């Protein structure tokens, strides 16, 4: 299916380019070099369009397949830098691989397959391919799909082909379905608790200032002259209580834009009532003979 789509796309590009009267992409100085570690399997082949390689190429361990060529415009003979350059490894059993071809600005291109360090995508295949060179320049020239011949990789470097999700039947001794590793996720960590020792120390530190205050208040209370507060003082305390209640309600359910108007209004009232209460207390203190 994938190969059919690629061929349809190439045919569409060719038809569109032909209508516009454009040139075509071609190659020159095409060469395939096969080298091996012992030198016994070395071979060199010359490529000429549209003739593929004369015979299938079988690589061994440590051998290298190198394809080199120059991309040209078949009409003018000038060098061309293609927008797309790939070598298609078409597997008759369906595991196709497409690898990019390295192209320089002057149109010289090459791709190397080293069986000592093969591309990972080639390892999980059947190892037998039909090679097709794909070149295209989408804006100006007709594309090229040049069959090169057959290439085989050594079976020793191949890896087992991974099973797809719905491949049946299962392999011998392998269940069709097997349990997967259970996924654990902590949505919220348990709150950390403080030990009894730190809790007691914190309580003592918090209550110590109040203990000191109550002790000092007991010493000075005999000399204090308690008087009934003025009405303005009660009003001031009432407004402060309203501010505290407003903040508590805001913490429960209000938004900030709900809080600000009422908070600003109560703040102005608290400032005014506080000033009035302090003035009346000062006047009462001066009337009783206190210091100004």
């Amino acid at each position: 299916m994938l190969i059919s789509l690629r061929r349809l796309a190439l045919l569409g590009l060719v038809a569109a380019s032909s209508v516009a009267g454009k040139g075509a992409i071609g190659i020159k100085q095409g060469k395939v070099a096969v080298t091996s570690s012992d030198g016994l399997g070395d071979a060199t082949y010359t490529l000429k369009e549209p003739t593929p390689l004369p015979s299938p190429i079988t690589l061994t361990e440590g051998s290298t397949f190198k394809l080199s060529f120059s991309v040209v415009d078949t009409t003018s003979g000038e060098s061309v830098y293609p927008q797309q350059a790939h070598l298609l490894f078409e597997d008759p059993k369906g595991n196709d691989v497409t690898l990019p071809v390295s192209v320089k600005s002057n149109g010289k291109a090459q791709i190397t397959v080293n069986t000592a360090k093969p591309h990972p995508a080639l390892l999980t295949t059947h190892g037998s391919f039909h090679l097709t060179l794909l070149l295209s320049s989408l804006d100006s020239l007709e594309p090229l799909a040049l069959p090169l011949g057959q290439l085989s990789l050594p079976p020793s470097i191949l890896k087992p082909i991974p099973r797809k999700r719905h491949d049946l039947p299962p392999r011998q001794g392998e269940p069709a379905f097997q349990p997967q590793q259970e996924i654990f996720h902590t949505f919220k960590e348990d709150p950390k608790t403080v030990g009894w020792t730190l809790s007691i120390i914190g309580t003592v530190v918090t209550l110590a200032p109040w203990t000191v205050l109550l002790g000092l208040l007991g010493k000075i209370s005999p000399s204090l002259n308690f008087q009934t507060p003025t009405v303005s003082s009660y009003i001031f305390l009432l407004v402060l209580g309203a501010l505290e209640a407003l903040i508590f309600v805001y913490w429960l359910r209000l938004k900030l834009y709900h809080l600000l108007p009422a908070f600003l209004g109560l703040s102005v009232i608290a400032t005014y009532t506080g000033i009035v209460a302090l003035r009346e207390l000062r006047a009462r203190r001066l009337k009783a003979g206190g210091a100004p």
Side-chain angles (χ1 to χ4, degrees), residues 77-97:
E78 297 179 353
S79 298
V80 175
Y81 182 78
Q83 294 178 346
Q84 296 180 358
H86 295 85
L87 183 60
L88 172 63
F89 295 75
E90 184 179 355
D91 187 346
K93 297 183 179 181
N95 293 327
D96 299 343
V97 177

Side-chain angles (χ1 to χ4, degrees), residues 206-273:
T206 303
L207 297 179
W210 293 98
T211 304
V212 175
L213 178 61
L214 293 176
L216 295 177
L217 184 60
K219 291 183 177 181
I220 63 175
S221 58
S223 60
L224 295 179
N225 184 17
F226 292 97
Q227 296 182 356
T228 303
T230 60
V231 177
S232 59
S233 298
Y234 285 114
I235 296 175
F236 175 60
L237 292 176
L238 182 62
V239 175
L240 291 181
L243 277 173
E244 295 290 342
L246 177 64
I247 294 174
F248 179 73
V249 175
Y250 162 71
W251 180 71
L252 290 178
R253 63 174 181 271
L254 294 181
K255 302 294 184 181
L256 182 61
Y257 57 87
H258 293 150
L259 168 73
L260 288 178
F263 182 80
L264 293 176
L266 287 175
S267 298
V268 172
I269 296 174
T271 303
Y272 176 76
T273 55

Side-chain angles (χ1 to χ4, degrees), residues 230 232-233 236 271-285:
T230 60
S232 59
S233 298
F236 175 60
T271 303
Y272 176 76
T273 55
I275 294 174
V276 172
L278 290 175
R279 285 178 179 174
E280 291 187 1
L281 290 175
R282 181 175 181 274
R284 178 183 291 187
R285 185 179 70 255

Side-chain angles (χ1 to χ4, degrees), residues 13-225:
L13 290 173
V14 170
S17 300
S18 299
V19 173
K22 299 178 181 179
I25 289 182
I27 66 170
K28 69 177 183 179
Q29 300 175 355
K31 184 175 66 173
V32 172
V34 179
T35 58
S36 58
S37 57
D38 54 10
L40 298 178
D42 293 358
T44 302
Y45 306 92
T46 301
L47 285 178
K48 291 184 179 180
E49 293 184 64
T51 306
L53 296 172
S55 60
I57 297 176
T58 302
L59 301 180
T60 59
E61 292 187 23
S63 60
T64 301
F65 171 90
K66 181 178 180 180
L67 169 64
S68 61
F69 55 91
S70 295
V71 186
V72 297
D73 183 347
T74 56
T75 303
S76 63
E78 297 179 353
S79 298
V80 175
Y81 182 78
Q83 294 178 346
Q84 296 180 358
H86 295 85
L87 183 60
L88 172 63
F89 295 75
E90 184 179 355
D91 187 346
K93 297 183 179 181
N95 293 327
D96 299 343
V97 177
T98 304
L99 298 182
V101 177
S102 176
V103 184
K104 297 182 180 180
S105 58
N106 57 3
K108 294 185 179 297
Q110 70 173 19
I111 182 173
T112 302
V113 177
N114 187 352
T115 57
K117 297 180 180 180
H119 193 281
L122 297 174
L123 298 180
T124 54
T125 61
H126 296 89
S128 180
F129 307 100
H130 295 288
L131 300 183
T132 303
L133 179 63
L134 304 176
L135 301 174
S136 66
S137 182
L138 303 179
D139 57 348
S140 58
L141 302 174
E142 293 183 12
L144 172 67
L146 175 62
L148 299 181
Q150 296 184 5
L151 177 70
S152 298
L153 300 178
S156 58
I157 69 171
L158 300 178
K159 297 181 179 180
I161 299 176
R163 287 183 54 198
K164 297 180 181 179
R165 182 176 181 181
H166 299 292
D167 284 349
L168 292 176
R171 296 192 181 109
Q172 184 67 28
E174 180 182 351
F177 302 95
Q178 54 187 354
Q180 302 295 318
Q181 184 178 2
E182 187 175 357
I183 299 176
F184 295 94
H185 181 74
T186 303
F187 291 93
K188 185 178 180 181
E189 295 183 357
D190 295 334
K192 297 181 180 180
T193 58
V194 181
W196 284 101
T197 304
L198 292 179
S199 299
I200 294 174
I201 294 175
T203 304
V204 171
V205 172
T206 303
L207 297 179
W210 293 98
T211 304
V212 175
L213 178 61
L214 293 176
L216 295 177
L217 184 60
K219 291 183 177 181
I220 63 175
S221 58
S223 60
L224 295 179
N225 184 17

